[in-house]
Amino acid sequence: MRPFIVANWKMHGLKADMNEVKAIDSAAAKFDHIDVGIGLPATLIHLAAQNAGHAQIGAQDCHQAQQGAHTGCLSAAMLSEAGASFSIVGHSERRADQAETSRLIAQKARSLQNASMGAILCIGEDLATRQSGTALDFVAGQLVESLALADDTSLSPERLTIAYEPIWAIGTGHVPELTDIAAMHSKLRSQLVSSFGPAGDAIRILYGGSVKASNAKDILALKNVNGALVGGASLKAESFVPIIAAA
Ligand code: 13P
C-alpha cells in the first residue's frame, strides 16, 4: 500500500507561504513511491494547484449538499474546480467547534466521493475516554457511525482514507505508546473489513497527533499505519519533508 502523508494547515497560510507548498511539491516529486497531500485553507487551493504538480492539493472541509442556500459554505464541485482532489472531513476541531456529528460527516464524505474526490475521515478519542480504558471500542463505534448514511447505505470504500487522531495528542507533543497506536489501527482495520469485506483491507488508515520528524519513522513502521496526518510540523517544508522521507 502506498503511504499517504498529508499536511493539515488548519487556519494557517497566505499567498506568501506558497514557497512552502512548492518545496513540499518538490519532495513529493522526489519520493514518488509516496502519496503526499496538502490540506489547505480554501483561499489557497487554486493558487497551490497551479504551483504543484506532484503533491495532491486538498481542502479541510466540504458541505454535504451539492449546492443551495448555505451562506459561506463550499461544495465538493467548487473545491474540485478550484483544484482540490481531496478534503479532510470530521476533524475533531470541527466536531468540537462546529458541533459536527458523525452522521453529518458521513454525508460530507459521500458528497466528496460523488464528485470523484478523496475523503480523509477523522476519528479519535478525548483524554477522558483514553483514561477510562474504552478508547478502542469508542473509536471503532465512531468509525461505524461516520460510515453510515441516512438511507441505511454506507460510504463507498473507494477514495476513502481514515485518519485516527487522538484528540489529546493533537498539538500537545504527547503521542500514544506505539503499542496503543498499533492496537487502535488493528481494531480499525478489523472494523473496515467487517464493514466493507476485502475492500476494507485497501483503505489507508493514517495516524495524526504530534507527528514530527523524530517520531515519524517508528509510528509509520507500525502495522496498519499507512500514513500520517500532520498539523504543526506540516506548515514548513523544513519540518514536513523529513516526515515524508521517514515514510
Ligand atoms: P498536530 O500535528 O499539530 O498535532 O496536529 C494534528 C492534526 O490535527 C492534523 O489534522
PDB file of all heavy atoms in Angstrom, residues 87-117:
ATOM      1  N   SER A  87     -10.576  16.130   0.382  1.00  0.00           N
ATOM      2  CA  SER A  87     -10.795  17.007   1.536  1.00  0.00           C
ATOM      3  C   SER A  87     -10.753  16.173   2.804  1.00  0.00           C
ATOM      4  O   SER A  87     -11.165  15.003   2.809  1.00  0.00           O
ATOM      5  CB  SER A  87     -12.140  17.736   1.443  1.00  0.00           C
ATOM      6  OG  SER A  87     -12.297  18.587   2.576  1.00  0.00           O
ATOM      7  N   ILE A  88     -10.264  16.792   3.843  1.00  0.00           N
ATOM      8  CA  ILE A  88     -10.403  16.250   5.193  1.00  0.00           C
ATOM      9  C   ILE A  88     -11.862  16.484   5.602  1.00  0.00           C
ATOM     10  O   ILE A  88     -12.435  17.522   5.266  1.00  0.00           O
ATOM     11  CB  ILE A  88      -9.449  17.003   6.149  1.00  0.00           C
ATOM     12  CG1 ILE A  88      -7.986  16.802   5.732  1.00  0.00           C
ATOM     13  CG2 ILE A  88      -9.681  16.586   7.601  1.00  0.00           C
ATOM     14  CD1 ILE A  88      -7.009  17.795   6.378  1.00  0.00           C
ATOM     15  N   VAL A  89     -12.475  15.545   6.302  1.00  0.00           N
ATOM     16  CA  VAL A  89     -13.792  15.797   6.907  1.00  0.00           C
ATOM     17  C   VAL A  89     -13.805  15.231   8.331  1.00  0.00           C
ATOM     18  O   VAL A  89     -13.121  14.249   8.622  1.00  0.00           O
ATOM     19  CB  VAL A  89     -14.975  15.179   6.105  1.00  0.00           C
ATOM     20  CG1 VAL A  89     -15.233  15.956   4.822  1.00  0.00           C
ATOM     21  CG2 VAL A  89     -14.766  13.708   5.829  1.00  0.00           C
ATOM     22  N   GLY A  90     -14.575  15.878   9.194  1.00  0.00           N
ATOM     23  CA  GLY A  90     -14.756  15.353  10.544  1.00  0.00           C
ATOM     24  C   GLY A  90     -13.562  15.523  11.457  1.00  0.00           C
ATOM     25  O   GLY A  90     -13.422  14.779  12.441  1.00  0.00           O
ATOM     26  N   HIS A  91     -12.709  16.498  11.153  1.00  0.00           N
ATOM     27  CA  HIS A  91     -11.595  16.735  12.082  1.00  0.00           C
ATOM     28  C   HIS A  91     -12.172  17.045  13.463  1.00  0.00           C
ATOM     29  O   HIS A  91     -13.209  17.695  13.575  1.00  0.00           O
ATOM     30  CB  HIS A  91     -10.734  17.900  11.577  1.00  0.00           C
ATOM     31  CG  HIS A  91      -9.444  17.997  12.324  1.00  0.00           C
ATOM     32  ND1 HIS A  91      -9.363  18.557  13.574  1.00  0.00           N
ATOM     33  CD2 HIS A  91      -8.192  17.570  12.012  1.00  0.00           C
ATOM     34  CE1 HIS A  91      -8.109  18.476  13.990  1.00  0.00           C
ATOM     35  NE2 HIS A  91      -7.374  17.879  13.066  1.00  0.00           N
ATOM     36  N   SER A  92     -11.480  16.630  14.517  1.00  0.00           N
ATOM     37  CA  SER A  92     -12.012  16.817  15.877  1.00  0.00           C
ATOM     38  C   SER A  92     -12.229  18.291  16.198  1.00  0.00           C
ATOM     39  O   SER A  92     -13.096  18.632  17.000  1.00  0.00           O
ATOM     40  CB  SER A  92     -11.077  16.183  16.908  1.00  0.00           C
ATOM     41  OG  SER A  92      -9.789  16.745  16.828  1.00  0.00           O
ATOM     42  N   GLU A  93     -11.440  19.169  15.559  1.00  0.00           N
ATOM     43  CA  GLU A  93     -11.642  20.601  15.810  1.00  0.00           C
ATOM     44  C   GLU A  93     -12.991  21.054  15.241  1.00  0.00           C
ATOM     45  O   GLU A  93     -13.657  21.901  15.819  1.00  0.00           O
ATOM     46  CB  GLU A  93     -10.469  21.406  15.215  1.00  0.00           C
ATOM     47  CG  GLU A  93      -9.219  21.222  16.071  1.00  0.00           C
ATOM     48  CD  GLU A  93      -7.903  21.324  15.317  1.00  0.00           C
ATOM     49  OE1 GLU A  93      -7.877  21.821  14.183  1.00  0.00           O
ATOM     50  OE2 GLU A  93      -6.885  20.879  15.889  1.00  0.00           O
ATOM     51  N   ARG A  94     -13.410  20.471  14.115  1.00  0.00           N
ATOM     52  CA  ARG A  94     -14.731  20.812  13.567  1.00  0.00           C
ATOM     53  C   ARG A  94     -15.834  20.075  14.334  1.00  0.00           C
ATOM     54  O   ARG A  94     -16.912  20.619  14.541  1.00  0.00           O
ATOM     55  CB  ARG A  94     -14.807  20.468  12.074  1.00  0.00           C
ATOM     56  CG  ARG A  94     -13.909  21.372  11.220  1.00  0.00           C
ATOM     57  CD  ARG A  94     -14.274  21.279   9.757  1.00  0.00           C
ATOM     58  NE  ARG A  94     -15.637  21.713   9.533  1.00  0.00           N
ATOM     59  CZ  ARG A  94     -16.002  23.005   9.356  1.00  0.00           C
ATOM     60  NH1 ARG A  94     -15.105  23.960   9.337  1.00  0.00           N
ATOM     61  NH2 ARG A  94     -17.280  23.310   9.180  1.00  0.00           N
ATOM     62  N   ARG A  95     -15.577  18.838  14.747  1.00  0.00           N
ATOM     63  CA  ARG A  95     -16.583  18.142  15.567  1.00  0.00           C
ATOM     64  C   ARG A  95     -16.856  18.959  16.827  1.00  0.00           C
ATOM     65  O   ARG A  95     -17.992  19.066  17.281  1.00  0.00           O
ATOM     66  CB  ARG A  95     -16.093  16.737  15.946  1.00  0.00           C
ATOM     67  CG  ARG A  95     -16.084  15.733  14.779  1.00  0.00           C
ATOM     68  CD  ARG A  95     -15.629  14.351  15.266  1.00  0.00           C
ATOM     69  NE  ARG A  95     -15.419  13.387  14.205  1.00  0.00           N
ATOM     70  CZ  ARG A  95     -16.258  12.395  13.902  1.00  0.00           C
ATOM     71  NH1 ARG A  95     -17.355  12.212  14.584  1.00  0.00           N
ATOM     72  NH2 ARG A  95     -15.972  11.571  12.910  1.00  0.00           N
ATOM     73  N   ALA A  96     -15.808  19.585  17.388  1.00  0.00           N
ATOM     74  CA  ALA A  96     -15.977  20.371  18.620  1.00  0.00           C
ATOM     75  C   ALA A  96     -16.476  21.788  18.308  1.00  0.00           C
ATOM     76  O   ALA A  96     -17.514  22.206  18.817  1.00  0.00           O
ATOM     77  CB  ALA A  96     -14.648  20.436  19.376  1.00  0.00           C
ATOM     78  N   ASP A  97     -15.775  22.514  17.442  1.00  0.00           N
ATOM     79  CA  ASP A  97     -16.103  23.939  17.230  1.00  0.00           C
ATOM     80  C   ASP A  97     -17.398  24.129  16.456  1.00  0.00           C
ATOM     81  O   ASP A  97     -18.116  25.103  16.673  1.00  0.00           O
ATOM     82  CB  ASP A  97     -14.990  24.648  16.443  1.00  0.00           C
ATOM     83  CG  ASP A  97     -13.658  24.644  17.181  1.00  0.00           C
ATOM     84  OD1 ASP A  97     -13.633  24.253  18.366  1.00  0.00           O
ATOM     85  OD2 ASP A  97     -12.648  25.027  16.573  1.00  0.00           O
ATOM     86  N   GLN A  98     -17.668  23.244  15.494  1.00  0.00           N
ATOM     87  CA  GLN A  98     -18.872  23.405  14.671  1.00  0.00           C
ATOM     88  C   GLN A  98     -19.925  22.348  15.001  1.00  0.00           C
ATOM     89  O   GLN A  98     -20.880  22.178  14.252  1.00  0.00           O
ATOM     90  CB  GLN A  98     -18.508  23.334  13.177  1.00  0.00           C
ATOM     91  CG  GLN A  98     -18.042  24.660  12.554  1.00  0.00           C
ATOM     92  CD  GLN A  98     -16.606  25.016  12.913  1.00  0.00           C
ATOM     93  OE1 GLN A  98     -15.772  24.138  13.086  1.00  0.00           O
ATOM     94  NE2 GLN A  98     -16.309  26.292  13.026  1.00  0.00           N
ATOM     95  N   ALA A  99     -19.717  21.633  16.092  1.00  0.00           N
ATOM     96  CA  ALA A  99     -20.682  20.615  16.545  1.00  0.00           C
ATOM     97  C   ALA A  99     -21.067  19.634  15.436  1.00  0.00           C
ATOM     98  O   ALA A  99     -22.238  19.286  15.273  1.00  0.00           O
ATOM     99  CB  ALA A  99     -21.929  21.289  17.129  1.00  0.00           C
ATOM    100  N   GLU A 100     -20.093  19.212  14.655  1.00  0.00           N
ATOM    101  CA  GLU A 100     -20.391  18.269  13.569  1.00  0.00           C
ATOM    102  C   GLU A 100     -20.583  16.856  14.132  1.00  0.00           C
ATOM    103  O   GLU A 100     -19.805  16.402  14.962  1.00  0.00           O
ATOM    104  CB  GLU A 100     -19.247  18.272  12.541  1.00  0.00           C
ATOM    105  CG  GLU A 100     -19.168  19.586  11.785  1.00  0.00           C
ATOM    106  CD  GLU A 100     -18.234  19.525  10.583  1.00  0.00           C
ATOM    107  OE1 GLU A 100     -17.598  18.475  10.339  1.00  0.00           O
ATOM    108  OE2 GLU A 100     -18.148  20.550   9.889  1.00  0.00           O
ATOM    109  N   THR A 101     -21.611  16.198  13.650  1.00  0.00           N
ATOM    110  CA  THR A 101     -21.890  14.830  14.101  1.00  0.00           C
ATOM    111  C   THR A 101     -21.315  13.822  13.100  1.00  0.00           C
ATOM    112  O   THR A 101     -21.065  14.150  11.933  1.00  0.00           O
ATOM    113  CB  THR A 101     -23.405  14.590  14.173  1.00  0.00           C
ATOM    114  OG1 THR A 101     -23.940  14.764  12.843  1.00  0.00           O
ATOM    115  CG2 THR A 101     -24.077  15.571  15.120  1.00  0.00           C
ATOM    116  N   SER A 102     -21.168  12.589  13.550  1.00  0.00           N
ATOM    117  CA  SER A 102     -20.672  11.535  12.660  1.00  0.00           C
ATOM    118  C   SER A 102     -21.596  11.364  11.457  1.00  0.00           C
ATOM    119  O   SER A 102     -21.148  11.115  10.338  1.00  0.00           O
ATOM    120  CB  SER A 102     -20.548  10.220  13.425  1.00  0.00           C
ATOM    121  OG  SER A 102     -19.511  10.323  14.379  1.00  0.00           O
ATOM    122  N   ARG A 103     -22.897  11.516  11.688  1.00  0.00           N
ATOM    123  CA  ARG A 103     -23.861  11.354  10.591  1.00  0.00           C
ATOM    124  C   ARG A 103     -23.646  12.412   9.503  1.00  0.00           C
ATOM    125  O   ARG A 103     -23.652  12.120   8.312  1.00  0.00           O
ATOM    126  CB  ARG A 103     -25.283  11.468  11.169  1.00  0.00           C
ATOM    127  CG  ARG A 103     -26.366  11.397  10.137  1.00  0.00           C
ATOM    128  CD  ARG A 103     -27.591  10.735  10.697  1.00  0.00           C
ATOM    129  NE  ARG A 103     -27.362   9.317  10.874  1.00  0.00           N
ATOM    130  CZ  ARG A 103     -28.233   8.383  10.518  1.00  0.00           C
ATOM    131  NH1 ARG A 103     -29.376   8.704   9.997  1.00  0.00           N
ATOM    132  NH2 ARG A 103     -27.961   7.102  10.687  1.00  0.00           N
ATOM    133  N   LEU A 104     -23.414  13.642   9.952  1.00  0.00           N
ATOM    134  CA  LEU A 104     -23.157  14.741   9.001  1.00  0.00           C
ATOM    135  C   LEU A 104     -21.841  14.482   8.251  1.00  0.00           C
ATOM    136  O   LEU A 104     -21.746  14.696   7.040  1.00  0.00           O
ATOM    137  CB  LEU A 104     -23.079  16.070   9.761  1.00  0.00           C
ATOM    138  CG  LEU A 104     -22.671  17.284   8.928  1.00  0.00           C
ATOM    139  CD1 LEU A 104     -23.769  17.653   7.938  1.00  0.00           C
ATOM    140  CD2 LEU A 104     -22.365  18.483   9.831  1.00  0.00           C
ATOM    141  N   ILE A 105     -20.864  13.996   8.978  1.00  0.00           N
ATOM    142  CA  ILE A 105     -19.543  13.786   8.384  1.00  0.00           C
ATOM    143  C   ILE A 105     -19.615  12.707   7.299  1.00  0.00           C
ATOM    144  O   ILE A 105     -18.979  12.817   6.249  1.00  0.00           O
ATOM    145  CB  ILE A 105     -18.531  13.457   9.512  1.00  0.00           C
ATOM    146  CG1 ILE A 105     -18.281  14.740  10.317  1.00  0.00           C
ATOM    147  CG2 ILE A 105     -17.233  12.891   8.957  1.00  0.00           C
ATOM    148  CD1 ILE A 105     -17.829  14.517  11.736  1.00  0.00           C
ATOM    149  N   ALA A 106     -20.427  11.682   7.538  1.00  0.00           N
ATOM    150  CA  ALA A 106     -20.627  10.654   6.504  1.00  0.00           C
ATOM    151  C   ALA A 106     -21.218  11.292   5.241  1.00  0.00           C
ATOM    152  O   ALA A 106     -20.812  10.973   4.115  1.00  0.00           O
ATOM    153  CB  ALA A 106     -21.541   9.554   7.029  1.00  0.00           C
ATOM    154  N   GLN A 107     -22.142  12.213   5.433  1.00  0.00           N
ATOM    155  CA  GLN A 107     -22.764  12.868   4.263  1.00  0.00           C
ATOM    156  C   GLN A 107     -21.754  13.738   3.520  1.00  0.00           C
ATOM    157  O   GLN A 107     -21.752  13.803   2.286  1.00  0.00           O
ATOM    158  CB  GLN A 107     -23.958  13.719   4.711  1.00  0.00           C
ATOM    159  CG  GLN A 107     -25.116  12.874   5.229  1.00  0.00           C
ATOM    160  CD  GLN A 107     -26.164  13.707   5.966  1.00  0.00           C
ATOM    161  OE1 GLN A 107     -26.025  14.907   6.134  1.00  0.00           O
ATOM    162  NE2 GLN A 107     -27.217  13.039   6.412  1.00  0.00           N
ATOM    163  N   LYS A 108     -20.890  14.386   4.271  1.00  0.00           N
ATOM    164  CA  LYS A 108     -19.841  15.197   3.635  1.00  0.00           C
ATOM    165  C   LYS A 108     -18.902  14.306   2.824  1.00  0.00           C
ATOM    166  O   LYS A 108     -18.517  14.636   1.699  1.00  0.00           O
ATOM    167  CB  LYS A 108     -19.051  15.960   4.702  1.00  0.00           C
ATOM    168  CG  LYS A 108     -19.851  17.062   5.360  1.00  0.00           C
ATOM    169  CD  LYS A 108     -19.030  17.818   6.399  1.00  0.00           C
ATOM    170  CE  LYS A 108     -19.852  19.008   6.898  1.00  0.00           C
ATOM    171  NZ  LYS A 108     -19.060  20.135   7.308  1.00  0.00           N
ATOM    172  N   ALA A 109     -18.518  13.185   3.409  1.00  0.00           N
ATOM    173  CA  ALA A 109     -17.612  12.267   2.701  1.00  0.00           C
ATOM    174  C   ALA A 109     -18.292  11.727   1.441  1.00  0.00           C
ATOM    175  O   ALA A 109     -17.658  11.604   0.382  1.00  0.00           O
ATOM    176  CB  ALA A 109     -17.200  11.132   3.633  1.00  0.00           C
ATOM    177  N   ARG A 110     -19.583  11.425   1.532  1.00  0.00           N
ATOM    178  CA  ARG A 110     -20.305  10.929   0.366  1.00  0.00           C
ATOM    179  C   ARG A 110     -20.326  11.989  -0.737  1.00  0.00           C
ATOM    180  O   ARG A 110     -20.142  11.680  -1.918  1.00  0.00           O
ATOM    181  CB  ARG A 110     -21.741  10.542   0.780  1.00  0.00           C
ATOM    182  CG  ARG A 110     -22.747  10.406  -0.364  1.00  0.00           C
ATOM    183  CD  ARG A 110     -22.316   9.461  -1.477  1.00  0.00           C
ATOM    184  NE  ARG A 110     -22.192   8.091  -1.061  1.00  0.00           N
ATOM    185  CZ  ARG A 110     -23.141   7.176  -1.155  1.00  0.00           C
ATOM    186  NH1 ARG A 110     -24.304   7.486  -1.649  1.00  0.00           N
ATOM    187  NH2 ARG A 110     -22.922   5.939  -0.766  1.00  0.00           N
ATOM    188  N   SER A 111     -20.516  13.249  -0.327  1.00  0.00           N
ATOM    189  CA  SER A 111     -20.566  14.301  -1.335  1.00  0.00           C
ATOM    190  C   SER A 111     -19.210  14.434  -2.048  1.00  0.00           C
ATOM    191  O   SER A 111     -19.139  14.661  -3.257  1.00  0.00           O
ATOM    192  CB  SER A 111     -21.069  15.566  -0.646  1.00  0.00           C
ATOM    193  OG  SER A 111     -20.345  16.649  -0.986  1.00  0.00           O
ATOM    194  N   LEU A 112     -18.133  14.232  -1.328  1.00  0.00           N
ATOM    195  CA  LEU A 112     -16.807  14.225  -1.966  1.00  0.00           C
ATOM    196  C   LEU A 112     -16.670  13.039  -2.918  1.00  0.00           C
ATOM    197  O   LEU A 112     -16.204  13.178  -4.051  1.00  0.00           O
ATOM    198  CB  LEU A 112     -15.711  14.145  -0.894  1.00  0.00           C
ATOM    199  CG  LEU A 112     -15.526  15.406  -0.049  1.00  0.00           C
ATOM    200  CD1 LEU A 112     -14.742  15.096   1.218  1.00  0.00           C
ATOM    201  CD2 LEU A 112     -14.803  16.485  -0.860  1.00  0.00           C
ATOM    202  N   GLN A 113     -17.084  11.867  -2.450  1.00  0.00           N
ATOM    203  CA  GLN A 113     -16.974  10.667  -3.308  1.00  0.00           C
ATOM    204  C   GLN A 113     -17.802  10.839  -4.580  1.00  0.00           C
ATOM    205  O   GLN A 113     -17.374  10.448  -5.665  1.00  0.00           O
ATOM    206  CB  GLN A 113     -17.436   9.431  -2.530  1.00  0.00           C
ATOM    207  CG  GLN A 113     -16.470   9.054  -1.415  1.00  0.00           C
ATOM    208  CD  GLN A 113     -16.899   7.794  -0.679  1.00  0.00           C
ATOM    209  OE1 GLN A 113     -18.088   7.473  -0.590  1.00  0.00           O
ATOM    210  NE2 GLN A 113     -15.922   7.070  -0.147  1.00  0.00           N
ATOM    211  N   ASN A 114     -18.966  11.467  -4.443  1.00  0.00           N
ATOM    212  CA  ASN A 114     -19.819  11.689  -5.620  1.00  0.00           C
ATOM    213  C   ASN A 114     -19.162  12.627  -6.625  1.00  0.00           C
ATOM    214  O   ASN A 114     -19.476  12.594  -7.810  1.00  0.00           O
ATOM    215  CB  ASN A 114     -21.178  12.278  -5.195  1.00  0.00           C
ATOM    216  CG  ASN A 114     -22.075  11.230  -4.564  1.00  0.00           C
ATOM    217  OD1 ASN A 114     -21.798  10.035  -4.672  1.00  0.00           O
ATOM    218  ND2 ASN A 114     -23.130  11.664  -3.897  1.00  0.00           N
ATOM    219  N   ALA A 115     -18.266  13.492  -6.125  1.00  0.00           N
ATOM    220  CA  ALA A 115     -17.549  14.419  -7.013  1.00  0.00           C
ATOM    221  C   ALA A 115     -16.197  13.827  -7.435  1.00  0.00           C
ATOM    222  O   ALA A 115     -15.314  14.561  -7.900  1.00  0.00           O
ATOM    223  CB  ALA A 115     -17.353  15.758  -6.308  1.00  0.00           C
ATOM    224  N   SER A 116     -16.027  12.516  -7.243  1.00  0.00           N
ATOM    225  CA  SER A 116     -14.775  11.816  -7.587  1.00  0.00           C
ATOM    226  C   SER A 116     -13.575  12.366  -6.830  1.00  0.00           C
ATOM    227  O   SER A 116     -12.454  12.358  -7.332  1.00  0.00           O
ATOM    228  CB  SER A 116     -14.491  11.881  -9.091  1.00  0.00           C
ATOM    229  OG  SER A 116     -15.543  11.301  -9.791  1.00  0.00           O
ATOM    230  N   MET A 117     -13.820  12.854  -5.615  1.00  0.00           N
ATOM    231  CA  MET A 117     -12.726  13.339  -4.770  1.00  0.00           C
ATOM    232  C   MET A 117     -12.491  12.362  -3.622  1.00  0.00           C
ATOM    233  O   MET A 117     -13.370  11.591  -3.257  1.00  0.00           O
ATOM    234  CB  MET A 117     -13.086  14.707  -4.177  1.00  0.00           C
ATOM    235  CG  MET A 117     -13.201  15.808  -5.219  1.00  0.00           C
ATOM    236  SD  MET A 117     -13.810  17.323  -4.474  1.00  0.00           S
ATOM    237  CE  MET A 117     -12.404  17.850  -3.485  1.00  0.00           C
TER     238      MET A 117
END
